[in-house]
Amino acid sequence: MTLDRLRRLLADQAILFILAGLFLVCSLFVPSFFTARNLVNILKQGAIIGILAAGLTVAVIAGNVDLSVGSVVAFSGILALLFTHRNFADAVVSGTSTQGPLLLAAAVALPLVLGAVVGLANGAVVTLSGANSVIITLGSLAAVRGGALLFSDGRVTYGAHNALFDAIGQAQLATIPVYVFFFLAFVLVLEGVLRFTTFGRSVYHVGTNLKASQIAGIPVIRVRVLTFIITGFAAAIAGVILAARLNSASGQTGTGWEFDAVTAIVVGGTSLFGGKGSVIKTLLGTLLVTLIINAMVLLNIPSPYQYVAKALIIVGAVLIDISTRKEAI
Amino acid sequence: MRVLTRMVLVLVAVLCAASLAFAGGGGEKPAVKAGKTVALMWGGTDAPFVGPHVKSFTATMEKAGHKVVIFDSKWDPAKQSTDLDDAVAQKMDLICLVPIDPVAIIPALKKAKAAGVPVMTINTEADKAANEYLVGFSGVGCYEQGLVAAELLIEVMGNKGNLAVVEGVSGFNACVLYAKALDDVFKQKKSQIKILAVQPSNWAPAEATKVTEDYLTRFKNLDAIFAHDDYIAGGVIVALKEAGIAPGKIKIVGIGGVGDALKAIKEGWMYGTVLQSPITEGEFEAQRAIEFLKDKKLDPFYKIMDNPKIDPKNVNNYKSEF
Amino acid sequence: MSRSLGRTLVRDWKILLILLGITAVLALLRPVFVSSENIFNVLFQVSINSTIAVGMTYLMIGGDFDLSVGSNMVFATTAAILLERFGIAPGIVLAILASTLAGFLNGVLVAKVKINSFITTLSMMIFLRGLVLIFTDKKTISGSTDVLFSFGYGSLFSLIPYPVLVAAVILVVFGFVLARSAWGRNLYAIGSNGKAAQMFGINIDSAKIASFTLTGALCGVSGIVLLSRLNSASGTYGMDTGLDVISGVLLGGTSLAGGEGSIFRAFLGVLLLGVLSNAMIILHVTPYLQQVVKGLMLITVVALNAAQAKRAEFR
């Protein structure tokens, strides 16, 4: 392999090498890092927000961003837990009512519908008005969270401890939660869609050059709206899993998750300008950020320094990206 | 010239607003009615504890014929300061305020007193220096709660062992008082309990789960975990369950008396908690407010609720209410 | 010609009309809304945001924005308290300098290193908040003296609060600078068409760095105003400021795409947000619904503005 090709490989897969390198360093020098329990923890700590970030990546590649995802996590969690009860009044006090399959199906389906609807609304407003998605989705962040608080009257919503529903968040395979496997599968499915379907290719085109895509006959509006729906859908899935794991959700759930998801996406190497990137890169970005925070905790570094670290990681990742590509992001 | 016009217009707009203020300044006071208007100013209304409290407080006040206006300062002390100004400008008959920051609210309290609007702090105390501007405090003795929690910990740990704390928000007055209470009691009882770590959770169960996971990785011989409220304790339990730890192997003490916590005590996951029912608290503070509206003063100035201890022995006496 | 003038007037004055509408309705329903106390409350609440909005407007016209303003403001407040040992005045000056430096850093990262505004200022926001948490040891710290209260709570002729005065002066001065200086003209050019601006020989980097630096300085000033009212600082202050200011400036009609906007419009937008919040409080709207209303209003106004601009493009 020539030096040039090696350099290119390094540049393209920078995040992978950094992740591997850091993993090695932490395994050697951070106490308790390289234990089965901790490694599973890292997967657990990254998986749910990883699902969120994966879905958001699709919208980002198309050139938009959706900051309302954290609020969707809250609302969908509340909705899911509500429908695990036969008597809705039990949802605000920890009850033990059990549920039959019909309403249980609603507990999973309705939140997903909610996520899709919010995505549809975001997508429609952004594409039809031409407004910047940052601001529109900031508005929907406030509106959806306010809606979640109104809907739940500001209280915590508890689940009915239904075994079937709980399994979504609590089932394990060899001490690894099933939702971690779901996360990996979800990433692969999305990546497959992006790489091998016409829709996926359209997403990249639209993100690269909207006008040209329009001229080329791509149904630009439909594609962009669909990316928002995927994002909302992913956020709802994350909300349902979180609710199943914790058996509680409130209007406060998921606060700040939108910025964590964007961090994972950027660190993974996907450009916020759209047109390039991949869901697998976001997976790696998620793992990298989770790993670094985990290492800091194990090293007993006080929590405020985690903020500083996150900021430096983001800037560092972008700098590496720039220097290996030599073009403005 | 357009720029100059615009600039002048800005200045004129500001001056117009000011003169409008004086034109409407006197304002017509509505005819004196029996029912008063009371402001209920929470630091933030998205925390799970607040919803039931607001409901209970409002219901009690409305039964007595009064009106309640709710404020939400989004946990920002600067906003709470200006919110208090707003409430004062509306000439509330009484303001019931949960101070986000015990010190930052004092200047605004001073203004309120100067404007003749009475303020009672509820739930959490402000700094002692604030007392001269207040008509009273009604709420929860955070320090006293901490004392009960400390007793529970000593009981279940046999006065020795390794303890990890999952706190609410660093620097939040209640959390500071809990820490102090633990410290004082452990010293007094010559305890050999070692506090290995204190990490914040932002009052979010998901964050508490993560903190606990990391505690389990770091500490091989953890005997107990103290969670600053039962919602956080719920998050702690999730982490223990997922790690395959049997109930009771690591003792958990929380604060609140939330239904899930009562269940956890019965199942052996938690050892105990301190009852702080938002429903009861709302009623309690509303009664004090009604008392003030009637008598124009509060006697005693400082009144806190009981902090009953809930442990496996008496847990069946309590119901899930919130 | 007159039709487009009319349309321009309506579009520019749309916010003013909404403002007057809300004021009129509320003056009728709840007279306390137009009481002197309430009006000055609103003006004060708006003064911090409007000061920062000045800088944000410069940035948006040039095609950027700054998410770190809230953290930067609290950073200044924290620095001022910690540096009080060198004297109140030196502490204040150093604090404002620190914020200015942060703004300058933003500018360099965006203009020279070419990292986009979103990521740069998001990182700076997280970074500064981390610094504040570290310096305050995660607690709330208080100033050692409250001499500043005479500024924060004092007023000129017992009428106009000093903070409002400072905000008004900043608005007017920098409004002029934006409209009359080469810097301002360059920003409009850069925002409209970056490539063309470059070909004209405009120094894009300096203009952008200057805008970020100005914003940083204004955050510092706001941080001191905050100090003069609260005399304390903590890592939890100012979380919403960035979004509130950006919302306000956008509500006023400035576009994120760049190339247009004005201080006047920014002030109107910020004022509208403040008036709306105040109105909802006075109307006793439940806090949850307030959040929904603000979110929906932001979406509606921004979408309408964007749609209008799009239509205008094809004219």
Side-chain angles (χ1 to χ4, degrees):
Chain A
M1 220 185 237
T2 66
L3 197 65
D4 207 42
R5 276 182 72 184
L6 190 64
R7 264 182 61 216
R8 269 241 304 275
L9 180 66
L10 214 75
D12 281 345
Q13 310 300 335
I15 175 76
L16 189 57
F17 285 109
I18 294 178
L19 184 60
L22 225 57
F23 183 80
L24 201 61
V25 169
C26 289
S27 302
L28 292 173
F29 297 114
V30 177
S32 306
F33 181 87
F34 194 70
T35 59
R37 163 172 288 163
N38 191 55
L39 294 179
V40 173
N41 278 349
I42 293 180
L43 289 176
K44 279 160 60 174
Q45 289 163 9
I48 300 183
I49 189 139
I51 293 175
L52 197 68
L56 185 55
T57 307
V58 178
V60 168
I61 294 179
N64 297 120
V65 76
D66 183 349
L67 296 177
S68 67
V69 287
S71 309
V72 173
V73 168
F75 214 145
S76 52
I78 292 173
L79 213 52
L81 292 175
L82 186 66
F83 278 91
T84 61
H85 293 270
R86 183 160 288 149
N87 180 359
F88 289 162
D90 287 339
V92 289
V93 182
S94 58
T96 48
S97 63
T98 50
Q99 196 46 268
L102 183 62
L103 273 181
L104 215 52
V108 176
L110 282 180
L112 297 182
V113 168
L114 173 82
V117 165
V118 171
L120 177 64
N122 280 332
V125 172
V126 169
T127 46
L128 295 178
S129 74
N132 188 299
S133 59
V134 172
I135 298 308
I136 297 295
T137 56
L138 273 180
S140 48
L141 180 162
V144 172
R145 197 166 283 283
L149 286 164
L150 268 176
F151 182 78
S152 61
D153 213 10
R155 308 160 88 151
V156 173
T157 307
Y158 297 100
H161 286 292
N162 181 288
L164 259 177
F165 180 80
D166 282 0
I168 297 175
Q170 297 175 19
Q172 293 187 350
L173 206 58
T175 75
I176 300 179
V178 168
Y179 63 78
V180 172
F181 296 108
F182 177 82
F183 166 49
L184 296 172
F186 188 67
V187 166
L188 288 175
V189 166
L190 279 184
E191 182 72 13
V193 165
L194 281 178
R195 276 202 218 181
F196 303 123
T197 66
T198 325
F199 167 71
R201 280 191 290 274
S202 312
V203 171
Y204 281 99
H205 286 314
V206 166
T208 311
N209 192 326
L210 189 59
K211 286 239 154 59
S213 306
Q214 236 167 348
I215 296 174
I218 296 179
V220 170
I221 293 184
R222 204 184 316 160
V223 168
R224 294 171 84 196
V225 171
L226 216 53
T227 61
F228 275 98
I229 293 180
I230 291 176
T231 303
F233 197 71
I237 294 178
V240 171
I241 294 178
L242 186 66
R245 186 185 180 206
L246 297 180
N247 198 54
S248 74
S250 79
Q252 213 192 6
T253 309
T255 310
W257 281 29
E258 52 281 334
F259 287 122
D260 284 338
V262 170
T263 302
I265 293 174
V266 169
V267 168
T270 299
S271 162
L272 278 188
F273 278 136
K276 22 181 186 262
S278 79
V279 182
I280 292 195
K281 285 204 173 153
T282 299
L283 166 74
L284 296 176
T286 309
L287 287 177
L288 183 63
V289 177
T290 310
L291 184 149
I292 294 181
I293 302 291
N294 176 272
M296 292 183 75
V297 171
L298 291 182
L299 286 172
N300 208 13
I301 297 176
S303 50
Y305 290 96
Q306 289 174 27
Y307 285 92
V308 175
K310 269 194 198 162
L312 294 176
I313 295 172
I314 298 177
V315 174
V318 175
L319 281 178
I320 291 179
D321 212 31
I322 292 182
S323 65
T324 55
R325 270 199 264 157
K326 299 220 180 327
E327 62 187 338
I329 292 200
Chain B
M1 260 310 120
R2 273 185 89 194
V3 172
L4 184 57
T5 324
R6 293 272 174 93
M7 288 304 120
V8 169
L9 269 165
V10 169
L11 279 175
V12 168
V14 172
L15 288 171
C16 263
S19 37
L20 240 188
F22 281 99
E28 33 182 14
K29 279 208 110 124
V32 178
K33 43 188 185 352
K36 310 279 193 200
T37 309
V38 167
L40 175 59
M41 302 187 60
W42 263 99
T45 57
D46 59 350
F49 186 79
V50 179
H53 178 281
V54 168
K55 272 197 130 53
S56 165
F57 184 94
T58 308
T60 313
M61 294 299 288
E62 285 176 353
K63 234 188 339 200
H66 302 301
K67 191 159 176 290
V68 175
V69 178
I70 303 163
F71 283 74
D72 174 351
S73 304
K74 301 245 179 300
W75 302 110
D76 184 339
K79 184 167 192 300
Q80 185 168 63
S81 212
T82 52
D83 280 346
L84 184 54
D85 288 342
D86 280 346
V88 167
Q90 293 182 61
K91 303 259 180 295
M92 294 282 165
D93 294 302
L94 173 65
I95 297 177
C96 298
L97 173 99
V98 180
I100 298 171
D101 182 300
V103 169
I105 196 68
I106 296 184
L109 288 176
K110 227 157 100 169
K111 271 177 72 178
K113 179 138 198 243
V117 177
V119 178
M120 170 174 78
T121 41
I122 59 169
N123 181 267
T124 315
E125 284 185 76
D127 191 271
K128 294 271 180 274
N131 285 349
E132 55 175 299
Y133 308 115
L134 299 172
V135 299
F137 170 72
S138 317
V140 178
C142 290
Y143 182 75
E144 287 77 5
Q145 280 182 328
L147 294 177
V148 178
E151 295 286 345
L152 281 166
L153 283 169
I154 289 185
E155 231 172 75
V156 75
M157 291 174 77
N159 212 11
K160 62 180 189 333
N162 294 327
L163 174 68
V165 179
V166 183
E167 62 172 3
V169 171
S170 299
F172 189 63
N173 205 29
C175 303
V176 172
L177 289 170
Y178 293 154
K180 186 164 184 305
L182 246 66
D183 216 32
D184 289 348
V185 172
F186 288 172
K187 274 207 190 75
Q188 188 199 36
K189 294 272 165 81
K190 305 218 196 313
S191 175
Q192 288 175 347
I193 296 180
K194 233 178 108 200
I195 299 184
L196 297 179
V198 178
Q199 287 281 335
S201 64
N202 272 339
W203 303 113
E207 187 64 24
T209 304
K210 176 178 179 300
V211 169
T212 309
E213 280 169 1
D214 293 335
Y215 278 166
L216 292 175
T217 311
R218 284 166 64 189
F219 309 126
K220 303 298 170 222
N221 299 314
L222 201 52
D223 296 305
I225 296 180
F226 173 44
H228 278 192
D229 80 12
D230 284 344
Y231 300 108
I232 298 179
V236 171
I237 293 175
V238 169
L240 295 185
K241 274 191 187 158
E242 289 181 357
I245 296 181
K249 184 134 184 310
I250 296 185
K251 330 274 191 239
I252 303 176
V253 170
I255 295 186
V258 172
D260 254 1
L262 298 180
K263 189 156 169 290
I265 296 178
K266 291 182 194 156
E267 290 173 351
W269 282 104
M270 282 180 71
Y271 179 72
T273 183
V274 183
L275 183 66
Q276 183 188 348
S277 164
I279 302 172
T280 315
E281 190 190 326
E283 278 167 16
F284 168 74
E285 288 157 4
Q287 288 299 349
R288 286 269 284 175
I290 295 171
E291 184 190 318
F292 175 82
L293 290 172
K294 203 161 58 84
D295 303 332
K296 290 289 177 257
K297 70 177 178 57
L298 280 174
D299 189 19
F301 179 90
Y302 182 90
K303 194 163 180 210
I304 57 176
M305 302 194 313
D306 291 330
N307 299 296
K309 168 169 77 165
I310 303 181
D311 60 23
K313 300 190 279 285
N314 66 4
V315 65
N316 289 313
N317 302 342
Y318 294 94
K319 285 195 309 146
S320 290
E321 284 185 316
F322 56 95
Chain C
M1 170 64 187
S2 55
R3 241 177 71 200
S4 71
L5 179 66
R7 204 177 292 119
T8 314
L9 272 179
V10 169
R11 176 169 171 216
D12 272 6
W13 299 89
K14 188 189 329 177
I15 300 300
L16 196 59
L17 289 176
I18 300 181
L19 257 174
L20 289 176
I22 295 182
T23 312
V25 168
L26 257 98
L28 288 171
L29 286 180
R30 301 280 168 98
V32 73
F33 183 73
V34 291
S35 67
S36 57
E37 230 187 312
N38 192 54
I39 294 201
F40 282 119
N41 276 346
V42 175
L43 283 179
F44 171 76
Q45 288 158 25
V46 163
S47 61
I48 286 191
N49 281 356
S50 73
T51 302
I52 301 179
V54 168
M56 192 71 74
T57 306
Y58 277 64
L59 285 173
M60 285 199 182
I61 291 174
D64 295 305
F65 57 91
D66 187 343
L67 290 171
S68 68
V69 290
S71 305
N72 201 359
M73 173 180 79
V74 177
F75 181 59
T77 315
T78 308
I81 292 183
L82 291 172
L83 295 170
E84 263 173 12
R85 67 179 83 148
F86 298 124
I88 302 286
I92 291 180
V93 170
L94 286 173
I96 297 183
L97 275 177
S99 289
T100 312
L101 185 62
F104 176 72
L105 207 52
N106 276 335
V108 169
L109 285 173
V110 171
K112 292 285 187 198
V113 184
K114 303 247 183 290
I115 306 179
N116 74 37
S117 320
F118 186 84
I119 297 183
T120 301
T121 59
L122 175 68
S123 311
M124 182 62 75
M125 170 177 97
I126 299 174
F127 183 77
L128 288 175
R129 193 156 293 282
L131 281 188
V132 169
L133 284 170
I134 293 174
F135 290 149
T136 61
D137 198 21
K138 300 190 284 186
K139 303 194 199 355
T140 309
I141 55 174
S142 293
S144 50
T145 151
D146 48 20
V147 293
L148 284 176
F149 282 161
S150 52
F151 172 81
Y153 291 96
S155 45
L156 192 64
F157 312 133
S158 299
L159 184 61
I160 308 176
Y162 289 126
V164 173
L165 206 55
V166 168
V169 167
I170 290 179
L171 277 172
V172 170
V173 165
F174 286 101
F176 264 114
V177 170
L178 181 64
R180 292 309 184 86
S181 67
W183 177 20
R185 279 194 297 277
N186 288 346
L187 284 175
Y188 281 103
I190 295 169
S192 312
N193 192 330
K195 290 240 154 52
Q198 215 169 7
M199 282 193 284
F200 270 107
I202 294 179
N203 190 333
I204 299 185
D205 291 353
S206 322
K208 289 200 174 201
I209 294 180
S211 303
F212 275 103
T213 310
L214 172 67
T215 304
L218 291 174
C219 289
V221 170
S222 291
I224 303 303
V225 172
L226 196 65
L227 180 68
S228 76
R229 293 280 288 207
L230 297 182
N231 204 30
S232 61
S234 117
T236 52
Y237 290 13
M239 303 270 247
D240 279 337
T241 309
L243 301 185
D244 279 347
V245 171
I246 293 179
S247 300
V249 175
L250 288 171
L251 273 176
T254 304
S255 160
L256 260 185
E260 55 155 354
S262 75
I263 299 293
F264 177 61
R265 280 203 219 146
F267 170 70
L268 280 186
V270 171
L271 183 63
L272 175 60
L273 254 190
V275 164
L276 183 67
S277 298
N278 182 263
M280 287 200 287
I281 288 179
I282 290 190
L283 287 173
H284 303 166
V285 173
T286 155
Y288 307 147
L289 195 54
Q290 285 185 35
Q291 201 176 356
V292 176
V293 169
K294 281 197 206 153
L296 290 179
M297 186 175 82
L298 183 62
I299 293 177
T300 312
V301 173
V302 170
L304 281 180
N305 279 342
Q308 223 171 2
K310 221 165 74 156
R311 234 174 296 134
E313 250 177 56
F314 292 110
R315 198 120 293 168

